[in-house]
């Protein structure tokens, strides 16, 4: 057990929530930060459209997730854990998880609020019972998270992977959520280093019609054309396939923007006002590139939290590749 | 000790301390970084994003108000990227802000407009999205135009800090709006702290622009002005004079130039308040009843008690506030002396405060059916009136007050700073209880900016516990402490609603930062220390008016100098007609 962190580092395990932060580094920070107690949070708040893998793992291998948390509890002194579940996961898997975690200091917590409530500092606010807004970083939760104590926030899939690493059965695989205009949607456990094309091919999801995909999340993901699929997926392993002929781009973008408007916290200028102005541009079918680019610029460069920072990419990639060209 | 480190700002080597924010270091080194949502009284929120600067290492933009410096950090505050980000974010901010510059508390000192110019902002690049947002009015004290709000959330925080929570965030169609609370257990106390903490003038006093000339247009009336202790060290700021500069004589001159027939000093009223309050303290100590005595010269605090802690209403002194006492004396003592019909006298108080607008309309203030004071003008409003009349304030020659009410004691002047009321009361109560004059009149323990100051004072054989509080959130803390621990017995508690006392009032010039408040307070203490006359009960005019007038008629004394309080129900707010403003 002592060397679990070393093993994690050996496998170069990266966070599975989209930010791809080195997991070993996180564990080390929490472990070495001095405090009288520490917390572990298993993040099962999965709120991104098209992303289903946390639910899949909780349904098929909940014992591995609990095992991963148990290893964390053992590795980090004086720690206790929360499993932070989005509402339907709480209802569906709560009972099972409770049974599995018997005897361990694990508390289930039902997520409040939407997508943003999956951001690690917002989770801390939520568990502390405060308004659902991101905190200023640093300090990062690993140094000062829940009630100011060092807090390890990892995704369901990360704990699953750690259980595998511990048992020696880890094969550098991750879970891909595939959906959209395709015959075989679903969650697939496949090698991490496969290209998008390989993933689609091997799962029988490579379309034979004119298409594009959104990869990395059903809202924040980037738009990729068929010719761009010879690379690995960045961020979240979520792939949505769109039939180019059948897809109304304006409607698609409106779907995204209503997601962002619903899910953002309205705290900072670029994200609050930027989202509103994007909605306005879409309503007016205004494609004035100077305005769009300016909005993308402040969203990417000056937003307070990752949600705002990631809002530009789907729009900018879609506009560049499918509209303005 | 914090670790000393070195950083680079715009290529210049600068020493800093680990843990400082980029903004703090820049400010100390006179490097300008613009801010909107930042206020030193409040938490760092980092939500306007105007203070963005560039870190050379990765070319990232970060918020300088919330990013802490690190050894070797290289910061650029004016790169093209920074300028571009500021420009666009400002354009977004302007698009959610109704510009009503003519009627704006920031008119002559507007950060937004300065930035607009500096960054070539196209103010109307986006459609204004808040033009139909409601305008709220809280009684006759505060107006909140939510169409000007840029969502910085300072007001919500400051109202919470005041222990009031009248301003709330409400989510409508996935957008948060700042709204006054509908909840029955929350009500505004009119402290005006939201006004001085809003970066874009969404809050203002009622009549702040429209009504300032009204008092001077009263036909066939004798219009008398009195001005509060604290404004003599703050009004100058509005005319570019240094913070804390004492301008008592200039205020008198300006008021005369404006057409006021007589000019008196509310600090003399404060000497009367001290006299009355100290009598009550002595009486309550003797009877051992209704202790602690709670001061009542701050109307926001009074409303706070009446609404949130009605069980403490009997503890409030019944002594009226200085302006109210002086107003009453003007309309009785002075009117009689000058043989004027009191109904012909209009009293205008120049106050640091919007809650005073509420105070003068309280029917509990009336005597013989007359209002002691007819109009309140805040410090800002007086400044505007002076500008409007094109009076060159800086160049005014000092003038003396009208003599009918003499000069105030030093004790009456320090009323404007937190601790001043207690200090004045102490100087006089000591004399009343022991028959001896205090030798050392400076009472350092109650001065200064801490929220709650506690002290024990020896008067004769007895020791008395006292507390001095500024900021209503602190008052709430102390009241809860007292409720939880009834054995802790205080004799007297002074509370001022605003940070630092009236020098930080809701009607004061803006900005209103801690350093500025401190300068205003220091100058008040300076005036006091230079005075020969430092105790209220030694003030010859006070003695004279008591012996010639007040002591002869107990009923009259009570009706002019005392009032009463009672539990208050929610007063709430009204929504103003949009087309009416
Ligand atoms: S804050 Fe006031 S002065 Fe400044 S732009 Fe807005 S309305 Fe005009
Ligand atoms: S009203 Fe003013 S202080 Fe309040 S949130 Fe809006 S801009 Fe900020
Ligand atoms: S006046 Fe004071 S109590 Fe009223 S809303 Fe403003 S800050 Fe809150
Ligand atoms: S402290 Fe002074 S300025 Fe503030 S509300 Fe009270 S009386 Fe008014």
């Amino acid at each position: 057990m002592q060397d679990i962190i070393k093993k994690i580092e050996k496998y170069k395990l990266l966070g599975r929530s989209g930010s791809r932060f080195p997991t070993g580094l996180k564990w080390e920070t929490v472990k070495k930060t001095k405090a009288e107690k520490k917390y572990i949070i298993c993040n099962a708040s999965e709120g991104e459209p098209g992303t289903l893998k946390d639910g899949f793992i909780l349904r098929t291998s909940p014992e591995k997730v609990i095992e991963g948390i148990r290893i964390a509890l053992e590795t980090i002194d004086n720690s206790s854990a929360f499993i932070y579940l989005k509402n339907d996961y709480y209802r569906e898997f709560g009972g099972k998880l409770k049974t599995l975690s018997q005897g361990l200091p694990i508390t289930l917590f039902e997520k409040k609020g939407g997508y943003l409530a999956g951001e690690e500092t917002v989770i801390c606010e939520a568990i502390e019972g405060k308004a659902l807004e991101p905190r200023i970083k640093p300090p990062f939760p690993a140094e000062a998270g829940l009630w100011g104590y060092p807090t390890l926030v990892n995704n369901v899939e990360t704990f699953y992977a750690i259980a595998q690493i511990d048992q020696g059965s880890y094969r550098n695989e991750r879970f891909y959520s595939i959906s959209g205009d395709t015959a075989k949607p679903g969650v697939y456990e496949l090698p991490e280093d496969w290209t998008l094309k390989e993933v689609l091919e091997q799962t029988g999801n490579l379309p034979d019609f004119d298409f594009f995909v959104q990869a990395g999340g059903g809202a924040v993901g980037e738009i990729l054309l068929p010719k761009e699929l010879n690379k690995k997926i960045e961020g979240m392993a979520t792939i949505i396939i769109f039939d180019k002929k059948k897809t109304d781009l304006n409607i698609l973008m409106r779907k995204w923007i209503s997601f962002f408007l619903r899910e953002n916290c309205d705290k900072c200028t670029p994200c609050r006002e930027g989202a509103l102005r994007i909605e306005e541009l879409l309503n007016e079918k205004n494609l004035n590139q100077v305005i769009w680019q300016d909005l993308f610029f402040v969203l990417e460069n000056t937003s307070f939290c990752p949600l705002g920072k990631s809002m530009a990419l789907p729009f900018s990639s879609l506009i560049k590749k499918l509209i303005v060209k | 000790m914090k670790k000393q480190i070195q950083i680079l700002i715009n290529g210049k080597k600068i020493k800093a301390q680990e843990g400082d924010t980029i903004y703090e270091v820049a400010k100390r080194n006179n490097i300008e970084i613009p801010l909107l949502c930042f206020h030193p009284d409040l938490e760092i929120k980092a939500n306007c994003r105007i203070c963005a600067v560039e870190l050379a290492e990765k070319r990232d933009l970060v918020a300088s108000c919330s990013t802490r410096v690190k050894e070797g950090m290289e910061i650029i505050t004016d790169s093209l990227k920074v300028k571009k980000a500021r420009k666009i974010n400002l354009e977004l901010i302007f698009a959610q802000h109704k510009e009503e510059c003519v009627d704006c508390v920031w008119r002559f000192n507007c950060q937004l407009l300065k930035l607009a110019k500096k960054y070539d902002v196209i103010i109307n690049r986006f459609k204004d999205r808040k033009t139909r947002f409601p305008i709220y009015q809280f009684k006759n004290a505060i107006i909140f135009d939510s169409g000007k709000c840029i969502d910085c959330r300072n007001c919500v925080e400051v109202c919470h800090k005041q222990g009031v929570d009248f301003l709330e965030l409400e989510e409508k169609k996935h957008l948060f709006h700042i709204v006054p609370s509908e909840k029955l257990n929350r009500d505004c106390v009119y402290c005006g702290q939201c006004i001085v903490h809003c970066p874009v003038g969404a809050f203002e006093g009622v009549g702040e622009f429209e009504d300032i000339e009204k008092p001077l247009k009263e036909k066939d009336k004798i219009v008398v002005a009195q001005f509060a202790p604290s404004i003599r060290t703050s009004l100058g700021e509005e005319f570019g004079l240094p913070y804390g500069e004492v301008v008592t004589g200039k205020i008198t001159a300006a008021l005369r130039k404006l057409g006021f027939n007589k000019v008196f000093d509310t600090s003399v009223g404060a000497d009367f308040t001290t006299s009355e309050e100290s009598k009550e303290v002595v009486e309550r100590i003797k009877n051992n009843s209704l202790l602690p005595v709670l001061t009542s010269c701050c109307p926001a605090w009074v409303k706070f008690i009446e609404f949130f802690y009605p069980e403490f209403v009997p503890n409030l002194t019944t002594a009226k506030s200085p302006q109210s006492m002086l107003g009453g004396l003007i309309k009785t003592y002075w009117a009689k002396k000058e043989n004027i019909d009191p109904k012909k006298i209009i009293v205008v108080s120049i106050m640091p405060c919007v809650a005073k607008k509420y105070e003068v309309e309280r029917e509990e203030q009336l005597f013989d059916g007359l209002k002691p004071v007819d109009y309140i003008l805040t410090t800002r409003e007086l400044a505007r009136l002076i500008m409007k009349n094109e009076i060159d304030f800086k160049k005014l020659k000092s003038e003396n007050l009208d003599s009918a009410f003499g000069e105030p004691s030093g004790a009456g002047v320090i009323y404007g700073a937190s601790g001043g009321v207690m200090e004045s009361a102490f100087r006089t109560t000591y004399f009343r209880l022991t028959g001896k004059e205090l030798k050392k009149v400076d009472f350092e323990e109650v001065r200064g900016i801490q929220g709650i100051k506690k002290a024990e004072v020896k008067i004769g054989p007895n020791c008395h516990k006292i507390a001095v509080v500024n900021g209503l959130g602190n008052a709430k803390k102390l009241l809860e402490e007292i409720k939880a621990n009834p054995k802790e017995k205080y004799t007297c508690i002074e509370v001022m609603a605003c940070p630092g006392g009236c020098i930080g009032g809701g009607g004061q010039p803006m900005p209103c930062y801690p350093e500025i408040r401190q300068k205003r307070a220091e100058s008040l203490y300076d005036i006091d220390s230079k005075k020969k006359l430092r105790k209220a009960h030694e003030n010859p005019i006070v003695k004279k008016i008591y012996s010639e007038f007040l002591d002869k008629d107990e009923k009259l004394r009570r009706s002019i100098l005392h009032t009463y309080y009672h539990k208050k129900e929610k007063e709430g707010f009204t929504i103003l007609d949009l087309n009416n403003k």
Side-chain angles (χ1 to χ4, degrees), chain B residues 416-419 448-449 470-471 496 498-504 517 521:
Chain B
S418 162
I449 50 165
N470 68 88
M496 289 291 161
C498 298
C502 301
I503 43 130
R517 293 196 294 261

Side-chain angles (χ1 to χ4, degrees), chain B residues 325-353:
Chain B
M325 284 201 184
L326 189 61
L329 288 169
I330 290 168
K331 291 194 183 180
T332 54
Y333 165 80
W334 183 73
K336 200 169 146 199
K337 226 176 101 185
E338 302 283 314
N339 207 5
I340 309 170
D341 176 4
K343 293 200 180 71
K344 288 218 142 144
I345 302 176
I346 296 291
V347 177
V348 183
S349 301
I350 320 294
M351 295 282 126
C353 178

